[in-house]
Amino acid sequence: MTTVEERLLPSAEPIQLIDQHGVPHDHPQYGLPSEQTLVDGYAQLVKGRRINDQAGALVRQGRLAVYPSSHGQEACQVAATMVLRDQDWLFPTYRDTVSIISRGVDPIETLTLLRGDWHSGYDPYQRNVAPQATPLATQLIHAVGVAHAARLKGEDTVVMALCGDGATSEGDFHEALNFAAVFKAPVVFFIQNNEYAISVPLARQTVAPSLAHKGIGYGVPGERADGNDLAGLLAVLGQAVDKARAGEGPQLIEAHTYRVQAHTNADDATRYRNDAEVAPWLERDPLKRLEAFLVERGLLGESLKKQVVAAADEAAEALRVGLMEEVQPDPAELFDHLYAEKTPQLKEQAAFLQDELAREEA
Amino acid sequence: MTATTLVKLTMAQALNQALRDAMKADETVLMFGEDVGALGGVFRITDGLTAEFGEDRCFDTPLAESGIVGMAVGLAMNGMRPVVEMQFDAFGYPAFEQVVSHVAKMRNRTRGRVTLPMVIRMPYAGGIGGVEHHCDSSESYYAHTPGLTVVAPATVADAYTLLRKAIEHPDPVIFMEPKKLYWAKEEVDLSVEQPGIGTAVVRREGRDATLIAYGPTVPIALEAAEVAAADGRQLQVVDLRSIVPFDDETVCAAVRSTGRAVVVAEASGFASVSSEIVARVTERCFHSLAAPIRRVTGFDIPYPPPKLERHQLPGVDRILDAVDDLQWEDS
Ligand SMILES: Cc1ncc(C[n+]2csc(CCOP(=O)(O)OP(=O)(O)O)c2C)c(N)n1
């Protein structure tokens, strides 16, 4: 018999299967993912990094309104979707561009929000990816609803719900965990703890031993992983998804990572932290360690590496070209999507704007 | 020449100065919220306050707006004067329950025994190219809630005075800061007392029609008046400054003096502060009006994405078109 604590509390240290030098370590509970999975994952990490950095450059060129980068968090981004099946759902935030793209959503459609064209650019049903949520933690409860509906319909669906460390302070985070637990909804709550909520460090969010510990109060098992170790993340998230799918109810996973860049391009991180704090995290980079591991195992030769880099470059170039194109959304659309049927008032206002635009043209 | 204490300040700097002076004047004044400490707020309104007054006086909280406002209620109940920041208009919504059910009602439900001298500062409205949830004009929700005082400065001098007065106010104040005016610079003399909460002012005299504006639309109304003057039409501009209490006297006197009025507001028009203004001015000034009062407001749609936001914002042309519609005898 396991005790409640054994069942619900996370392990003493974040699960790590490959350390920052690329050295693998055995773990009694979690096995190393297959070699092919790790090679595929590596390719996705490289692509994710290129997308992050390309998007950052595009902000500087005025092509995106803003970009909250997941630079340094790519292992979390990629693992979150690699463990999902087609029928599963992803509930992302503003920072999860890479995750959405790795789920298979069109990159340009993904960046519609941050480009300033529309509030959400992709069809959520196409790849089962909810619109990115900006109001913190609010989407976590929707994830519970989607998961519960799947259960009611007898579908074999798991929902991956993402949020940051800061978001765990919002009431909605706690309501979502509790609802999920009470309804035994197949949700994996995945916290990317990057140590900061804009300028506010984790110590100002909580004095709990870890964010994964928060599950026990709701009867939700918590686990934590090294957020820069793709292998560990795949093992931990994979097991959580399996448990949720098997009917064991919601799971809470905390990835311990770090926001190596500012909150967004609009933020000035020098006001609240120094380079000395950031430096060790650069050494823990998720790409470096997986690369070292794969090279050491003879799984990543020069030609494969070239292929991976070329594919990432191609993705970044497609992003650049796509976003260089000047798109001007049609103002008439402002009135089109509020109701199934436009109200008489909206029709009047749409006509007003059309008339105004026609006069501007003339 | 008398000695002058004129200084060139942005609205953001004036708000910062108001907080600084209020914290100096009264040690029960506390400033807290998200990123208001080391960072100085995402708009730098609280810049340097933690360094000057210490962690107990200006501090970051866990990330939870309901918690921030709820804690302010308790602090105010126990002798403090909390000033809290909602990082952006739309991020004030998680605190809505606290605001509507407690902040607004405490005095009334306790028959005046418990009062809440607190200020909820809120960067609001658009015009900055912000993505969704960063540009809402939410003043009508608050103005509709009995028990709340709602203030919106439009000038640098008013930003200073109104925030000082809001902090000294015996009741909770929702302090709406038009974020696109944060960087507007003016030469001001902060020692000159501006009118208090509940007072509107005439920003520009004019005999032909009255533009009624508040917050972000005041500079646009003034610009429209400037353009109209070049065409020979004299537009008066009233700056409300205070939405609740509403200065019926100043607004109605202004409208009576011209007989024509246009209300200019950025928020969607339906069931809004602008509709309230039209209703009450019409009730009071009907016989002085030469034409129905017109409104220039945002459309009844969610605030648009950056590339489309200009269509939502009241501009000079829309204002002048509305003025043209006021049934002029000579046209
Ligand atoms: C309800 C709400 N309040 C405030 C904000 C403003 N805001 C945007 S991101 C952010 C920090 C979030 O930190 P965290 O949850 O740790 O995620 P991260 O950005 O680090 O990925 C804040 C305060 C918001 N988006 N929603």
Side-chain angles (χ1 to χ4, degrees), chain B residues 138-185:
Chain B
S138 43
E139 69 271 23
S140 301
Y141 304 127
Y142 302 109
H144 186 70
T145 303
L148 298 177
T149 296
V150 185
V151 164
T155 68
V156 173
D158 263 1
Y160 180 84
T161 295
L162 288 174
L163 185 52
R164 289 298 304 270
K165 302 221 181 234
I167 294 170
E168 286 162 10
H169 204 62
D171 286 312
V173 177
I174 309 289
F175 195 85
M176 312 289 301
E177 302 171 2
K179 62 174 89 77
K180 77 163 185 207
L181 300 183
Y182 272 150
W183 304 281
K185 246 189 182 157

Side-chain angles (χ1 to χ4, degrees), chain A residues 117 170 199 204 271 356, chain B residues 35 47 60 65 307 318:
Chain A
D117 297 346
E170 292 279 7
S199 70
R204 200 24 81 95
R271 292 178 72 97
E356 185 180 83
Chain B
D35 301 289
D47 193 17
D60 292 327
E65 295 76 11
K307 283 194 188 162
R318 278 187 198 163

Side-chain angles (χ1 to χ4, degrees), chain A residues 15-271:
Chain A
I15 306 299
Q16 185 190 65
L17 299 181
I18 298 178
D19 71 20
Q20 75 184 78
H21 308 292
V23 179
H25 297 275
D26 285 338
H27 193 279
Q29 258 173 287
Y30 299 96
L32 211 57
S34 75
E35 292 180 342
Q36 190 55 50
T37 304
L38 290 176
V39 170
D40 291 349
Y42 175 74
Q44 289 216 41
L45 286 187
V46 174
K47 186 171 140 191
R49 173 66 50 88
R50 287 289 283 118
I51 286 171
N52 272 329
D53 294 349
Q54 182 67 69
L58 287 162
V59 174
R60 291 189 290 279
Q61 293 162 32
R63 292 288 151 177
L64 291 171
V66 63
Y67 186 70
S69 181
S70 62
H71 185 114
Q73 297 176 221
E74 289 91 351
C76 300
Q77 295 284 302
V78 164
T81 53
M82 280 184 78
V83 296
L84 298 182
R85 297 184 189 160
D86 279 353
Q87 76 269 25
D88 296 338
W89 273 84
L90 179 72
F91 273 73
T93 76
Y94 51 88
R95 198 176 297 288
D96 302 316
T97 299
V98 168
S99 210
I100 298 167
I101 293 174
S102 74
R103 177 82 176 141
V105 176
D106 177 75
I108 303 293
E109 289 184 6
T110 303
L111 285 166
T112 297
L113 164 72
L114 301 172
R115 186 191 209 178
D117 297 346
W118 197 258
H119 311 294
S120 177
Y122 51 87
D123 175 357
Y125 291 113
Q126 198 181 16
R127 296 289 299 136
N128 285 358
V129 179
Q132 283 164 285
T134 297
L136 299 167
T138 52
Q139 80 284 10
L140 302 177
I141 313 191
H142 310 161
V144 178
V146 164
H148 190 51
R151 260 169 51 87
L152 294 176
K153 294 197 290 180
E155 288 167 3
D156 185 21
T157 300
V158 173
V159 180
M160 177 71 64
L162 309 182
C163 75
D165 45 294
T168 66
S169 294
E170 292 279 7
D172 280 2
F173 171 82
H174 300 269
E175 295 183 24
L177 277 177
N178 193 40
F179 269 57
V182 165
F183 292 104
K184 246 187 164 194
V187 181
V188 175
F189 295 99
F190 181 32
I191 307 167
Q192 292 169 73
N193 170 9
N194 63 11
E195 295 270 351
Y196 280 92
I198 309 186
S199 70
V200 181
L202 184 67
R204 200 24 81 95
Q205 302 300 342
T206 185
V207 295
S210 84
L211 293 172
H213 279 78
K214 295 201 173 216
I216 193 168
Y218 305 103
V220 174
E223 184 58 287
R224 48 182 165 163
D226 177 338
N228 290 7
D229 171 21
L230 183 70
L233 284 165
L234 287 172
V236 169
L237 286 170
Q239 201 172 98
V241 166
D242 288 347
K243 283 185 185 168
R245 205 181 305 281
E248 290 184 36
Q251 314 287 317
L252 174 64
I253 310 296
E254 173 190 9
H256 196 205
T257 181
Y258 191 81
R259 201 194 71 211
V260 296
Q261 297 185 346
H263 174 69
T264 67
N265 50 290
D267 178 34
D268 175 8
T270 63
R271 292 178 72 97

Side-chain angles (χ1 to χ4, degrees), chain B residues 51-64:
Chain B
E52 183 170 344
F53 298 97
E55 263 282 318
D56 283 349
R57 300 286 305 281
C58 177
F59 54 94
D60 292 327
T61 64
L63 214 176

